[in-house]
Amino acid sequence: MSQNLTHARIEPATPLSVASAGARLRAGQLVAFATETVYGLGGDATNDHAVAAIFAAKGRPSFNPLIAHVADFDLIETLVQVDDRARALMKRFWPGPLTLVLPRAAHSPISLLASAGLDTIAIRMPDHDVARAIIRAAGRPIAAPSANRSGAVSPTTAAHVAESLGERAGLIIDGGPCRVGVESTVLDLSTPIPTLLRPGGITADQIEAVLGQKTQSAQADASAPKSPGMLESHYAPALAVRLNAEHAHAGEALLGFGAMDCTLNLSPTGDLEEAAAHLFAMMRALDRAPFTALAVAPIPEHGLGAAINDRLRRAAAPRS
């Protein structure tokens, strides 16, 4: 670990630290904080310099859009164009792990850098009291991708943020372990048929039940993704990843699921919600010597399993 990653400043979530975080964000500085999904690296979504600082801290490709996080419903229509479908989904799932991609409102203050120059904006309301308190203290929408170096395993504790970003995170507000453990579902409503850009904490079945229509799935677009998490190789640990493994090969750590002999187990009882909450922390724990590779047991492709497998396929994708 380099010297500049050894002095991360972590503070517990208190009224004083939340107020301090809001002031830092208004000043264009960065703050890492917990959401229900993963820890986010927050910056003022209306400030190009703050958004650029997020890209720099993460080493994040500038063509990968950021999600704007809001705490209340009051100003949403000044940021994006909201149709009946969006209103129905907001009413049902916000606050919660659902991001909506919507057309940019006229005179929207969201930085074009945050939306990668697109005419759409990804927006969500996190279901975490600390996150919403910090956004309210800042008084503006906050861009907050996962608080880790780009392409690495996402952080679900304050210590993970410190390990990955160190001083680059600015201030880290410790809101405890993340409850959901995988990033939000991203749904594109700028298309006639709702398009699932990234599976996550809200399933396609839940969305379709509210909308009364089917969604369609999007393919990863490495040239111009419309949301985070659409790059082919992403969420990647340093070690190579082998999927659908029934046992470990020599030198491998085995990340298990269900009743099996393994190094660590996402859920011995086969609970997908438990597995999602453990996914990134356990991948991070195994991504080190003496292991030379990471093998992962098969995960069912339904419910939260779709989001888990999406992350695992990206982690196992060929690296440039």
Side-chain angles (χ1 to χ4, degrees):
M1 184 174 292
S2 61
Q3 185 65 30
N4 69 332
L5 292 182
T6 60
H7 298 95
R9 179 181 165 198
I10 302 177
E11 293 189 5
T14 65
L16 185 61
S17 67
V18 165
S20 174
R24 289 176 66 92
L25 289 165
R26 287 194 303 277
Q29 299 174 40
L30 304 185
V31 176
F33 55 86
T35 76
E36 80 280 24
T37 57
V38 298
Y39 271 70
L41 180 61
D44 180 356
T46 70
N47 181 327
D48 289 336
H49 296 286
V51 173
I54 294 173
F55 288 135
K58 285 179 60 69
R60 185 183 181 93
S62 60
F63 49 76
N64 200 2
L66 305 181
I67 296 169
H69 293 67
V70 296
D72 301 290
F73 291 93
D74 303 4
L75 300 178
I76 289 173
E77 296 199 37
T78 68
L79 307 177
V80 291
Q81 299 175 39
V82 180
D83 61 14
D84 290 340
R85 299 176 302 170
R87 290 188 185 90
L89 291 169
M90 290 174 184
K91 182 177 180 180
R92 173 64 180 85
F93 296 117
W94 282 13
L98 176 65
T99 294
L100 299 177
V101 176
L102 296 165
R104 174 183 288 268
H107 312 297
S108 174
I110 298 293
S111 163
L112 282 171
L113 183 59
S115 60
L118 300 174
D119 58 3
T120 54
I121 292 171
I123 187 168
R124 89 174 187 99
M125 184 183 294
D127 187 15
H128 196 291
D129 291 344
V130 173
R132 292 200 308 280
I134 289 172
I135 296 167
R136 289 188 186 110
R140 56 205 65 191
I142 299 300
S146 57
N148 56 275
R149 294 291 287 172
S150 185
V153 179
S154 298
T156 54
T157 69
H160 292 163
V161 180
E163 179 183 345
S164 186
L165 291 179
E167 290 179 338
R168 286 190 290 264
L171 173 66
I172 304 171
I173 301 297
D174 190 348
C178 299
R179 184 179 75 254
V180 176
V182 293
E183 289 89 342
S184 61
T185 300
V186 181
L187 184 72
D188 186 3
L189 290 180
S190 70
T191 54
I193 300 174
T195 304
L196 191 66
L197 301 183
R198 180 179 74 183
I202 303 296
T203 68
D205 287 345
Q206 290 174 297
I207 291 168
E208 290 167 0
V210 172
L211 295 181
Q213 67 175 129
K214 287 289 187 180
T215 60
Q216 62 185 359
S217 296
Q219 299 298 314
D221 184 348
S223 60
K226 294 186 73 174
S227 86
M230 295 189 70
L231 298 179
E232 183 179 2
S233 177
H234 206 56
Y235 312 106
L239 298 180
V241 176
R242 181 169 66 90
L243 303 182
N244 298 314
E246 300 291 347
H247 56 82
H249 294 165
E252 288 182 333
L254 178 59
L255 183 59
F257 179 80
M260 64 185 305
D261 184 17
C262 53
T263 315
L264 290 177
N265 200 314
L266 292 169
S267 174
T269 62
D271 185 320
L272 288 171
E273 186 171 334
E274 180 184 24
H278 289 164
L279 178 63
F280 288 130
M282 288 189 175
M283 287 180 68
R284 185 180 292 271
L286 297 177
D287 187 28
R288 61 194 69 208
F291 305 116
T292 57
L294 177 59
V296 185
I299 306 294
E301 188 72 26
H302 62 78
L304 279 177
I308 295 169
N309 283 321
D310 174 77
R311 304 304 187 273
L312 291 172
R313 283 190 290 269
R314 294 176 192 277
R319 321 276 178 85
S320 59

